[in-house]
Amino acid sequence: MEPQGHSNRRKRRKLRDEFTNGMNTEDFISYVRDKVRTNLLSCNSRYDDCEKDHLIKAIRAIITTNKEIWERCRESMIIHPPNRSKKTKKKDLYFKSVTYSSINVSTNYSELYDSTHSLLNFETAAKLRIKKFGMPASIPSELTNILSYKEQKGELLPDYDHFLETSLLLCDDVLIPFLSHLKTHLEEIQVFLGRIESWLMESAGCINFIEEVFKKTLGTKTLSEDYAICCECGERYKYHDYRECPISGSRYTFSLENTSKTVLKSCKSKGTHEDIFDLMEEKDREKLQILLKFVS
C-alpha cells in the first residue's frame, strides 16, 4: 500500500500539471517566476526590499569580510583531532589556542626577603585551550533549488563569489528576493566566524594584558603540544578523547607540562597571600591590578 504522503504529493503534481498544461509560454514563465519569488519571500523573515545595486554591494562586502575573518582563524583549526570518538560528529570544527589564562599569587616561604618579610611571587604558565564550534550553516535549500554552488577543495566555505555571479543571470523579480535571502545567510556565516575569532582573541587578550601590566614578553609559537595534559583528568592531549572531558564534563584545557612557570614579578610582603586570578574575567583583572598597586 502506498504511503499517504506519497499519494498526496502525486495528487498535487497532477493538479499542477493540469493547471499549467493549458498555459501559453509567457503565462507559464510568469507562473514559475511568481512561484519561486513567493517561496523566497515566505522563507526569509528578514527580507530586505532594497535596490538590486545595494544588495549586490552589501553581499560582496560580506563575502570579502567573511574570507578575511576565516583567514585569521584557519591556522588555529584542528584538522585531525586525536583519538576522535565514534560518537563525535565528523563535521564538528575544533579550534585551539595557547595562552596564559591565569596568574597565581603565592607567598614563597623558602625565600625570605628579610627578617620580617617573605617573598610574594606572581606566576603564570602556558595552557592549551580547545573548543568545539560545530559547522557553519549550509546554503539554504530555497537558494540551491534554484542554483547549484561550487565547493572549494580544502576550504570550509563554498565559492560564494561564483554563486553570486551565477545568480545575476536571474530575472529581477526573482533576483531581488534571492539576493536578500543570500545576504541573510551570509550574515549568519559572519556571526559563526565571529564567534570563533572572538574566542581566539580571548587568548591573545590575556597575553597582551600580562605583557602590558608586567612588562614581560610571553612567547607561544615555540611551545609544543605533544606534552600537553588535560587539567581535569591528566590524560595527554594526543590520547585524549575528543569530547568533553569524561572526568569533569567540562571544556578542554590542557597544561603544557614541559614548560615551567614564568615568574612575572617578585616583591616583599608581610603575611600570607594565596590567590588565583582568572584573566578571562574582567573583575579578576581589576582585582589583580589593585593588588599590584598595594604591594608595589
Side-chain angles (χ1 to χ4, degrees), residues 59-77:
I59 289 171
R60 293 179 67 191
I62 297 171
I63 290 173
T64 299
T65 300
N66 287 355
K67 287 192 287 189
E68 290 172 351
I69 296 174
W70 175 240
E71 285 303 315
R72 293 194 292 268
C73 296
R74 67 186 306 154
E75 288 186 0
S76 299
M77 184 176 70

Side-chain angles (χ1 to χ4, degrees), residues 14-37:
K14 183 178 180 181
L15 290 173
R16 180 199 61 193
D17 291 343
E18 290 175 353
F19 176 72
T20 58
N21 284 342
M23 293 181 176
N24 59 35
T25 301
E26 290 185 1
D27 288 343
F28 181 66
I29 293 173
S30 178
Y31 164 78
V32 171
R33 288 176 175 173
D34 287 344
K35 182 180 177 182
V36 171
R37 176 181 169 81

Side-chain angles (χ1 to χ4, degrees), residues 50-279:
C50 298
E51 294 183 357
K52 179 172 62 177
D53 289 351
H54 173 81
L55 282 170
I56 294 173
K57 287 179 181 178
I59 289 171
R60 293 179 67 191
I62 297 171
I63 290 173
T64 299
T65 300
N66 287 355
K67 287 192 287 189
E68 290 172 351
I69 296 174
W70 175 240
E71 285 303 315
R72 293 194 292 268
C73 296
R74 67 186 306 154
E75 288 186 0
S76 299
M77 184 176 70
I78 302 174
I79 300 176
H80 299 296
N83 196 25
R84 183 191 290 275
S85 168
K86 292 180 180 179
K87 295 182 180 180
T88 304
K89 295 179 181 179
K90 292 182 178 180
K91 291 186 177 180
D92 285 336
L93 287 180
Y94 289 86
F95 286 79
K96 63 182 178 181
S97 68
V98 175
T99 189
Y100 297 81
S101 59
S102 64
I103 291 179
N104 291 18
V105 180
S106 60
T107 301
N108 187 349
Y109 295 103
S110 62
E111 296 184 31
L112 295 179
Y113 192 84
D114 55 35
S115 59
T116 59
H117 295 85
S118 56
L119 201 63
L120 186 65
N121 288 336
F122 292 75
E123 299 175 328
T124 188
K127 291 182 179 179
L128 173 67
R129 301 169 70 215
I130 307 288
K131 187 169 182 179
K132 178 176 70 175
F133 285 91
M135 285 290 285
S138 301
I139 300 177
S141 60
E142 292 82 10
L143 302 180
T144 58
N145 286 341
I146 299 171
L147 294 174
S148 61
Y149 64 92
K150 289 172 59 178
E151 293 285 2
Q152 301 186 94
K153 188 175 181 180
E155 294 291 335
L156 174 68
L157 302 175
D159 189 343
Y160 283 111
D161 288 305
H162 179 267
F163 195 60
L164 171 62
E165 292 167 6
T166 306
S167 73
L168 300 181
L169 300 174
L170 300 170
C171 68
D172 284 359
D173 285 349
V174 174
L175 176 61
I176 292 176
F178 184 97
L179 293 177
S180 179
H181 201 11
L182 177 58
K183 178 172 172 282
T184 298
H185 165 68
L186 289 169
E187 288 169 342
E188 293 171 353
I189 297 297
Q190 190 168 99
V191 170
F192 174 82
L193 295 175
R195 283 175 46 230
I196 298 172
E197 185 172 41
S198 295
W199 181 79
L200 293 173
M201 288 175 66
E202 288 178 356
S203 296
C206 291
I207 295 173
N208 292 339
F209 174 81
I210 292 174
E211 292 182 341
E212 181 179 347
V213 171
F214 292 94
K215 310 304 179 186
K216 293 269 189 177
T217 300
L218 300 174
T220 60
K221 291 184 178 180
T222 59
L223 297 176
S224 172
E225 299 164 7
D226 294 337
Y227 298 96
I229 59 173
C230 178
C231 292
E232 301 294 339
C233 69
E235 185 65 81
R236 287 191 180 277
Y237 165 73
K238 59 184 177 182
Y239 302 127
H240 204 287
D241 187 4
Y242 246 66
R243 289 172 290 173
E244 292 181 341
C245 177
I247 302 298
S248 67
S250 63
R251 297 292 183 186
Y252 295 106
T253 303
F254 297 86
S255 62
L256 300 179
E257 67 172 5
N258 64 326
T259 60
S260 59
K261 290 183 178 180
T262 300
V263 179
L264 301 170
K265 180 181 178 69
S266 294
C267 58
K268 66 179 181 178
S269 174
K270 287 184 177 181
T272 301
H273 294 279
E274 298 290 338
D275 211 341
I276 299 176
F277 294 92
D278 183 356
L279 300 185

